[in-house]
Structure formats: structure tokens, C-alpha cells
Amino acid sequence: MREEVAQREEAELRRNQQRPRSPAGWGLLLALWYLAFYQPVVTERHLRRKNAEFVFIRFSAWQYAGCDKLWAGLVTTLCHSIRHHFGALPLSVYHVMGARPRYASGFSQREWVLKTGACLKLGGLLLLLAAGLAVLLVALLVPGVKDHQALKVVGSAVTSLSGSGLVLGAFSVLKNLLVSEKRKIERLTDSERFASQLGFMSKVRREVEVLVDFLAFMEIFERRRLRVVLEITSLDVCYPEKVAGVLNAMNTLLSAAHTPFIFILAVDPSVIVPCLEQSGCMKGLADSGYLYLNRTVTLPFSIPEMGARSRLRCLEAAVQTREDLMYRIITGNVERRQAKRGGAREVPSRREADAEAVRRIHEAFRCLHDGADPLARYLPASGAHVRRIVNTIPITLRLLLHRAGTPGAPSPRAAAAWVVLADQWPCRLSWALQCLEDAWQSQPTPDFGARSLWSIFQENVGELSALQQPLQNVLGLDGDPELFHSFLAHDFPFTARDARAFLGVTVNLDHSIRHKMGLLRGLDRLK
């Protein structure tokens, strides 16, 4: 969007030779002058302008999840960001002296019209103030008139009345300068009337209308179109009622004609749709959450799954962050140990252990980053899952390093593959591990440890299918079943012995899933 704006700016400058203005430096004084004495006019030339400026605002719904009304947090964020972008003084002056833009009559190209009424009022107040001061000075200083009390009273009254009007205007500007729109809405939400919504929405809508008119004023002053882009994230981790409230606030802000707002709603529809269907405020609006979203979103953009190259780039960024963190931690630990008195003997062994752990971690990351390695194609498309894998691999390898004395320790590549397996298919892996545990407890044959984990899963997949209903939510955590088959049956044929070796260091698998499966399996066998 910024690149598009830069190209449009150059094209518009070549077309009409008018540079955009900014309310900064001398431009601030010019903006205040126009705010006080001129009314903007929307002309045909302004409507033909193609150059624009985007004001980007990020709204994380999770930061306001504790509010009674999440949508109020959206409005306060909008007000605060616009005030910060354009400055508090122009917005405060607009609240007191600004005029709403009007459309030009005919083909007039005049973008500013003098506010005759405001100029007359201000001129009249200044004239009265000057006259009152003159009368007061004459009554106080001229020798022959000093004894006339009537002139003093008249001069004082005129001066006080005219001066109070000017002071009142300055006080209003100062009040808006000190009390922001965000603070006004926060006071409304804190009041007792907020619970009953008495006049609350009308006041909030009035504040938003002032912002919209101010943006229209600044469009004409800056000689370019202005669009406020609100990026809404983390909405899928909030309560259902608050999700619906934010969407209603979006519709309210977008309901006005020629609204300058653009909402980018970054959500997971599979999470948002059930929230909408569960919320009580949506009853009667739509039977389906998808239908409600279709009515709200005007440009749907479903991000496709990442390709192999994008996954590797995402992995590389996550690994780089993890390596920097590991380097700082390891270096700090070694330096602290060296500084301790009497700890010089244990430093070499600890340093060697850290060096070996880092070597194994780097080897595991190289396998993940190698496009020719089959492990790379099982990387998840979600950036959050990639970070979870990258954060889990160092912990798993360090735990395995503590058991390095046992023969046949798993390789770093195998450990990385096991972490990916636990992250992508937690339900199916938990079922295979539970069946393996039950088989070990029933005195298996000596060669049982050489059996593949896939064969154990295949033998008991019928029971898993029978328990599909109570395990429905857990099964929804798993990835593609065909990839699970190719992973365990062909690319990484882990054995029962490998599974028992990894079980004690598997930290990214919820073991309560396996315990629930064991309970359901035992109850099913009792039947």
C-alpha cells in the first residue's frame, strides 16, 4: 500500500504540479489559520485526485479483552491514533472552530470559503474589546473624565463581556487539548449510565462523526485523499459476545457514506464463525456465522497455504531468533560460572555440554531447512506452529543429552522429526503411544521393541474409529491423515523402542489426551 501511494504521489505531482501539504512546522500555522477562518469545499478537482495517504492503526483485540465493551476499545484506539498522527492542537481547534466541508456548487474550483459569520463574530468581539479598553483608559487616565463613574462601569462591562467570549473560546480549545477523545469515551464507559446505555451510543457516534469531518478537512488541506486502515487481530481469542460487538462496531463506523475507514480483519473463520453463532446478540440476524461474515466482509482474501520456499523462509526467521537467544543464554551462563570462585573445575565440562547441545540443535535445524530432506515437506503452514517446533527442538535435544549414556541415543534428525510428529498429529500419536503402553504392560514378545509404530497404530485404528465421537475435538487437532501415513510408514518408521525413548522427553504433546484415551479404551473393553 505504501508503494502504491508513492507511485500515485509522483503521478499526481506530474499531472497538476501541486505538492501535498503537511500540518507540521509552518504548515501547522497555515492549518490553524484555515481551521479558524475558512470552510473547506469539496470540488471536482479534489474528487479527481488519485494521490492518497494511509494512516495505519493496529488494534489487538486481546489487549482490550478485559473491557466490558470491546468495541469501545476499538473506538478509543481509533481516536487516539488519529489524534497522535495529526497532532492534538489541530484536532482541538477543529472541535471548537472547525466547519464541516460542503460540496461545491457547479464547477467552481475554490477549495476554501471564508467563514463570514465567524469573522464577523471575532471582529465584533475584538472591536468591542478595543472600544471597552479605550473607554476604560479614558475614564482612568484623562484628568477631566476621572470623576465620571458611569464611563468606568461601561468600559469595564464592555471589556469583560467581549474578553470573556475570547477567553471562553480559548478555554474550550485548551479543554479539548488536555482531554482527548479517548479520555471522553473512557469516562463514559466508567460512568453508571454506561450499563444502561442511556445516550452512550449517540455520544460515541458524535465523536466519530467529528473525526470523520476532521479527516475530510485535512484531505482538502493536504491536497490528497486520506484513508484510515485499521488492522484488527487476535479477535479469535476473545469471548463470543465481544467478537460480535467488534463486528457491530465495524459496521457502525462503515455505515456512513464516504467513510474514510478501511478494516483489515485478520481472523481464522473456523474460530470466529462458532463465536458468532454462540453469541446472543446475533439471533435473528443470520442463522449461519458464515452468512453474517459474508454480509460484513466486502473483500474476502483467504490466505493460501505456504509453499515449500515460504515455509523454509519462515523457518529460517524463527531459527535465527532462537539461535540468537541460545547464544546469549549460553554465553551468560559460562561467564557467570567462570566468575564464581572455586568453579573453574566444572566450567570445561559444562562448556563442553553446552557446545555439544548447540551442535545437535544446529544439526536438527539444518535438517529442517534442507529442502532435499523429506522432513522439510512436513513443516506446517502456520507460522505459530513453526515457532512452536523451533522452540521445542532445543528443549527436547537438551533433555536427550542428559540421557546420552544410554546406547542407541536418537539422532538430532530423529528428534526433530519426533517433535514435528507430536505437533502435527497429537491425537493419532497419543493413540499409538497408549496402545504401545498397554501392549508393554501385557508382557509383549522380546522382539516387540522392533515393531514399527505405524503397525501398532494400524492394528488399533478400528478402536479409535469407534471412539470418534468422544474424541471429536481432539481429532480436530490433527493434520492431514495421508501425510501421517507417509510420515510413519515410509519417511520416519519409528519403532516401539524409539517411541519409549522419546516419550520421556516429549514436551510438546499434551499427555492428558493419552490418559483420556486410556480411560475410554478401558471403559470400552468393559462393555
Side-chain angles (χ1 to χ4, degrees):
M1 295 175 76
R2 289 192 176 97
E3 292 176 358
E4 177 71 17
V5 163
Q7 295 175 3
R8 289 189 178 191
E9 203 74 59
E10 295 178 0
E12 186 69 18
L13 183 61
R14 290 193 300 266
R15 190 175 68 88
N16 59 14
Q17 304 296 321
Q18 270 192 338
R19 291 187 176 276
R21 292 181 293 205
S22 175
W26 291 107
L28 176 61
L29 298 178
L30 185 60
L32 295 177
W33 176 261
Y34 278 117
L35 281 168
F37 300 110
Y38 288 90
Q39 180 184 16
V41 180
V42 180
T43 62
E44 182 188 7
R45 179 173 62 179
H46 175 71
L47 295 176
R48 290 180 179 273
R49 283 172 177 151
K50 302 298 182 181
N51 57 332
E53 179 187 8
F54 292 110
V55 181
F56 295 99
I57 302 174
R58 287 193 171 185
F59 175 74
S60 177
W62 178 248
Q63 296 179 359
Y64 297 88
C67 300
D68 293 334
K69 294 294 181 180
L70 184 60
W71 59 264
L74 174 64
V75 177
T76 56
T77 302
L78 171 66
C79 296
H80 175 73
S81 300
I82 293 179
R83 183 183 180 93
H84 177 74
H85 181 81
F86 292 101
L89 185 57
L91 186 57
S92 302
V93 174
Y94 183 83
H95 268 280
V96 179
M97 307 180 66
R100 176 179 295 182
R102 65 177 179 85
Y103 285 90
S105 58
F107 294 95
S108 174
Q109 301 300 320
R110 292 181 58 190
E111 293 186 335
W112 300 99
V113 176
L114 189 66
K115 292 190 292 186
T116 308
C119 293
L120 290 176
K121 290 179 182 179
L122 182 61
L125 286 176
L126 292 175
L127 185 61
L128 286 175
L129 180 63
L133 287 174
V135 172
L136 187 61
L137 290 175
V138 168
L140 292 175
L141 299 178
V142 177
V145 194
K146 283 184 179 182
D147 296 333
H148 291 76
Q149 298 296 328
L151 288 178
K152 295 181 181 179
V153 173
V154 171
S156 301
V158 172
T159 303
S160 301
L161 290 175
S162 58
S164 62
L166 296 175
V167 171
L168 187 60
F171 177 76
S172 300
V173 173
L174 182 62
K175 180 182 176 181
N176 284 278
L177 190 63
L178 297 177
V179 183
S180 64
E181 294 76 19
K182 177 182 178 181
R183 183 56 187 155
K184 293 177 186 177
I185 297 176
E186 288 176 348
R187 285 181 178 177
L188 291 175
T189 56
D190 294 338
S191 64
E192 296 179 356
R193 298 174 61 191
F194 175 68
S196 59
Q197 299 286 311
L198 294 176
F200 177 77
M201 283 302 301
S202 61
K203 293 182 179 180
V204 173
R205 188 174 289 110
R206 196 178 306 125
E207 292 292 338
V208 174
E209 289 176 354
V210 171
L211 288 180
V212 172
D213 294 339
F214 175 72
L215 290 172
F217 179 94
M218 296 306 298
E219 272 192 351
I220 300 175
F221 175 77
E222 295 190 7
R223 297 170 180 165
R224 56 188 169 192
R225 314 304 292 269
L226 293 175
R227 292 296 179 266
V228 180
V229 184
L230 289 98
E231 178 189 349
I232 301 178
T233 60
S234 304
L235 194 60
D236 40 15
V237 296
C238 299
Y239 292 119
E241 290 77 10
K242 297 183 178 181
V243 171
V246 170
L247 294 180
N248 289 335
M250 288 174 45
N251 293 331
T252 301
L253 293 174
L254 294 172
S255 60
H258 310 294
T259 179
F261 303 120
I262 300 173
F263 286 92
I264 299 178
L265 190 62
V267 295
D268 184 356
S270 64
V271 179
I272 293 297
V273 167
C275 289
L276 291 173
E277 294 174 347
Q278 293 174 17
S279 62
C281 58
M282 205 194 76
K283 295 186 181 300
L285 296 178
D287 297 331
S288 170
Y290 286 104
L291 181 59
Y292 185 84
L293 280 181
N294 289 340
R295 293 176 179 176
T296 302
V297 179
T298 56
L299 177 60
F301 186 89
S302 182
I303 300 177
E305 290 191 3
M306 287 191 293
R309 187 177 301 175
S310 298
R311 295 184 188 185
L312 292 180
R313 282 201 300 264
C314 182
L315 173 68
E316 183 179 0
V319 169
Q320 183 64 40
T321 304
R322 182 70 202 186
E323 286 180 343
D324 294 342
L325 178 61
M326 287 188 305
Y327 177 80
R328 290 194 296 269
I329 293 175
I330 293 172
T331 305
N333 290 339
V334 171
E335 291 176 353
R336 282 194 296 270
R337 288 169 187 156
Q338 287 177 340
K340 288 182 178 179
R341 183 177 299 177
R345 295 179 181 177
E346 65 172 354
V347 169
S349 60
R350 293 292 182 90
R351 186 182 301 174
E352 291 173 3
D354 284 336
E356 177 64 17
V358 172
R359 186 193 65 79
R360 294 190 181 192
I361 293 169
H362 286 189
E363 182 180 346
F365 285 161
R366 279 195 296 270
C367 296
L368 283 174
H369 198 268
D370 187 3
D373 195 305
L375 182 59
R377 77 185 187 97
Y378 294 105
L379 285 175
S382 169
H385 281 271
V386 171
R387 288 190 295 272
R388 287 176 58 179
I389 291 173
V390 169
N391 291 333
T392 306
I393 287 176
I395 300 175
T396 304
L397 288 172
R398 287 183 179 276
L399 292 175
L400 284 173
L401 190 61
H402 286 284
R403 304 183 179 188
T406 59
S411 64
R413 180 176 180 270
W418 184 265
V419 171
V420 173
L421 175 64
D423 183 84
Q424 292 292 64
W425 299 280
C427 180
R428 286 172 171 79
L429 178 59
S430 297
W431 180 255
L433 292 175
Q434 181 59 39
C435 296
L436 173 62
E437 181 182 347
D438 294 342
W440 276 107
Q441 293 174 353
S442 61
Q443 297 179 354
T445 57
D447 60 342
F448 183 79
R451 290 191 58 187
S452 67
L453 195 61
W454 172 250
S455 64
I456 298 173
F457 177 81
Q458 280 291 94
E459 289 178 2
N460 302 277
V461 70
E463 290 184 62
L464 179 61
S465 179
L467 299 174
Q468 185 175 0
Q469 185 63 29
L471 296 175
Q472 181 179 2
N473 292 337
V474 182
L475 278 169
L477 300 175
D478 284 1
D480 193 341
E482 285 75 15
L483 287 179
F484 177 73
H485 171 238
S486 63
F487 188 97
L488 272 185
H490 304 293
D491 293 329
F492 298 95
F494 289 113
T495 62
R497 188 176 295 108
D498 295 333
R500 286 182 65 86
F502 280 120
L503 185 58
V505 297
T506 306
V507 297
N508 64 326
L509 183 65
D510 188 355
H511 296 288
S512 65
I513 298 176
R514 183 163 52 89
H515 297 157
K516 181 179 180 180
M517 289 177 172
L519 179 61
L520 292 174
R521 197 180 189 205
L523 293 175
D524 188 64
R525 288 183 175 180
L526 286 177
K527 298 179 183 179

